[in-house]
Amino acid sequence: MNQITEQQIEKIIKKHVGFTLFLAVAPIIFLLLIGLFEPEIYRTAPFILPLTILAAVIYFIKNVLIDLHANKAS
């Protein structure tokens, strides 16, 4: 039975944090840029932003679990 070490877990987490942050921040910047030309977008932002954060968290958890499982199997 293969054991996963704490160092392997930290390496896997660090591998996915960067793109997860990009997924969480990119829509916010995009909405702010649109807001420069169309201020009405700020009314929809409270509905869109939680979904983008949720999608980024789901992406992070999914990929970390896939890598942990692949690392455990090898």
Side-chain angles (χ1 to χ4, degrees), residues 2-68:
N2 294 337
Q3 295 287 329
I4 299 175
T5 65
E6 189 173 332
Q7 291 175 344
Q8 290 172 324
I9 294 171
E10 289 175 4
K11 182 179 175 185
I12 290 170
I13 289 174
K14 287 179 185 178
K15 176 180 169 185
H16 294 291
V17 165
F19 192 69
T20 301
L21 288 175
F22 173 75
L23 284 178
V25 174
I28 296 169
I29 295 171
F30 185 67
L31 286 175
L32 290 174
L33 289 174
I34 293 174
L36 293 174
F37 303 104
E38 184 59 45
E40 290 291 319
I41 195 73
Y42 294 128
R43 290 186 182 181
T44 60
F47 302 108
I48 296 172
L49 296 180
L51 294 175
T52 62
I53 301 299
L54 182 64
V57 170
I58 289 170
Y59 168 85
F60 178 73
I61 292 172
K62 178 189 72 121
N63 285 327
V64 167
L65 290 176
I66 287 172
D67 280 357
L68 284 174

